[in-house]
Amino acid sequence: MDSVPALDEPLKKVLGPATAKVMAEHLGLHTVGDLLHHYPRRYEERGQLTHLADLPMDEHVTVVAQVADARLHTFASSRAPRGKGQRLEVTITDGSGRLQLVFFGAGVHKPHKELLPSTRAMFAGKVSVFNRRLQLAHPAYELLRGDAEETVETWAGALIPIYPATAKLESWKIGKALQTVLPSAQEAADPLPESLREGRGLVPLPEALLKIHRPHTKADIEEARARLKWDEAFVLQVALARRRYADAQLPAVPRRPRPDGILAAFDDRLPFTLTEGQRKVSEEIFADLATDHPMHRLLQGEVGSGKTMVALRAMLAVVDAGGQAAMLAPTEVLAQQHHRSVTEMMGDLAQGGMLGGAENATKVVLLTGSMGAAARRHALLDLATGEAGIVIGTHALIEDKVQFHDLGLVVVDEQHRFGVEQRDALRGKGKQPPHLLVMTATPIPRTVAMTVFGDLETSVLDQLPAGRSPIASHVVPVADKPHFLARAWERVREEVEKGHQAYVVCPRIGDEEDGAKAKKKSPEDEAEKRPPLAVLDTAEQLARGPLAGLRVEVLHGRMQPDDKDAVMRRFAAGEVDVLVATTVIEVGVNVPNATVMVIMDADRFGVSQLHQLRGRVGRGSAPGLCLLVSEMPEASAARQRLNAVASTLDGFELSRIDLEQRREGDVLGQAQSGTRSSLRMLAVIDDEEVIAEAREEATRIVAADPELERLPALRTALDALLDEEREQYLEKG
């Protein structure tokens, strides 16, 4: 085949090298097909205006508005000491609100001539705050004139598409580039089987692409969106259905616990009864383990719902059946913590082959990258001989050198930190594919679970074990009420005086190279926000100021593993009053005596992350307190997010809010579990029905034709999706 198919044509051939370079670097668009799938975020209508009142902070926005007034000011500055500095302030309005544009220096001349009162234009720039007012500094703009031939043509039709853009490439330039490649849409191969498309009344793909980029009516947009959503949902669900189908064909060794084995001995010694939820989920897991196909199960649980207990009982069931179980944790701190808590829970059942070990005991070994050579050799030997029934470790478990005697179960903690490839690498360690249990403490709405973890069955633990205390959460609005922060530190002192401990969490470590400070700031940079608060600075200020006299220590990801572990041990032993840390404490850290957490710059964290962090307190019998400190103004979206976290302890509810506020791409990208990182058209929360129906259709089609031999266009779409996925995985290293 000599000619390149139209949709695979590189953009640099079609648009020229300069534009193509910006599109590749800033938007990840390389071919004509990529650009055709770069859909408008929304549409502006002539005569109808954007809501300036709803602009998001710190985002690159495009607005259509009218100039209300323009004023040129002169001022003295270091560059123009004799009062020759110039600043143009333009106020634009759309009926819902007003927004200020500012231009400085030589940049004032062109807009001063063009942006006269009552001129209509499209403006693009990054929203910042200056003097408590929203502004765009040096926005790019395109005048909307009704007369010039070229403009009328470009803005033809009543609906102007607004594209996701960057500072280097405004929405209207992307629109013009699309105008050039749109004829190629006719050659797009349709991945949906014809029967499915017709049965659901969906328009063909070429028609959908034309209507999404050049709609004449709102009905065109609806038709196109309905069709393109199906493409995304369906191709993704086919990929997952094929994965489930392939997994179901694999053989596995059934693992059934012995009635008088280590699991029964462990259960007999439990000082508490399992919750109803823990019992139910354990039964689902035991049923899966007893089959001759590998289990693939996702265990979701609220923070502190007792997932580790459920996972440990599953591991013991496999040890009973003569196999080994491996637990993979995302960080060394967490692996060490799991190892400690598992050996404590098991007592002498973890002392296999040692003096004082129980009759049914096994060995529980730890394997991490930073272990000494001798300890590592020991651990590897115990695994190879089968002496160790349970191993807990980090990525070190995946290395080639690690050999198992008979790996029967892999438990992955905090799934969103592991890609599918890593799961597969560990599964490849078994003589036959081992069973797989994935645990996540970030509650995931059902649709996201179907999309991100679609190759796994799901179990949910939604009850907290008896003895867990409620956590009160409050927002501390520093900008409006500075005295609230002083009161927060008093509360920390009060808790410490009662014999409890506290966490203070900051977004940054603070030992980064601070090259940013060296640059002279221009007046428009002054509006930029200060850097996030750092652990090292905050710890020093607290120890000298409001928390003077208390034992304050720091914990962050760049410390040596031994140092981290030593700090955690001291904190767990009650030798540290206040631990100032980054989010390394987000998962799995269990110190029942810690009752209060202060999260600095809380608006810099996501909703689910705040919920995770908060779950570190209130783990004992004393009630927990979480204070969310923020400088954001009352009306901002960031403050509404914090208010949502403060108002509910329901992680599933919060994960919905999180998804509604963030674009799905972030959520799916973070999950990096074999899905493309950004869904361009599908909204995981709103399109629940489409996803559920696509999953059913995909399962049916794959069962009938696993290799998709009768659907070549679907295979091509699937290869493109999986290629992108592999590429991303390799880029992540």
Side-chain angles (χ1 to χ4, degrees), residues 59 267 389 400 716:
E59 284 214 13
D267 282 351
D400 293 344
T716 307

Side-chain angles (χ1 to χ4, degrees), residues 241-259:
R242 288 188 72 191
R243 204 177 154 82
R244 284 196 304 275
Y245 180 85
D247 284 341
Q249 310 310 306
L250 296 171
V253 178
R255 310 279 180 175
R256 296 184 186 84
R258 297 200 315 272

Side-chain angles (χ1 to χ4, degrees), residues 131-163:
N131 282 344
R132 300 223 160 187
R133 287 168 65 192
L134 292 183
Q135 71 165 25
L136 294 182
H138 282 285
Y141 61 88
E142 176 98 344
L143 300 177
L144 292 178
R145 302 190 186 93
D147 47 12
E149 196 52 43
E150 192 261 347
T151 322
V152 172
E153 207 113 295
T154 314
W155 312 114
L159 295 158
I160 306 171
I162 304 289
Y163 290 94

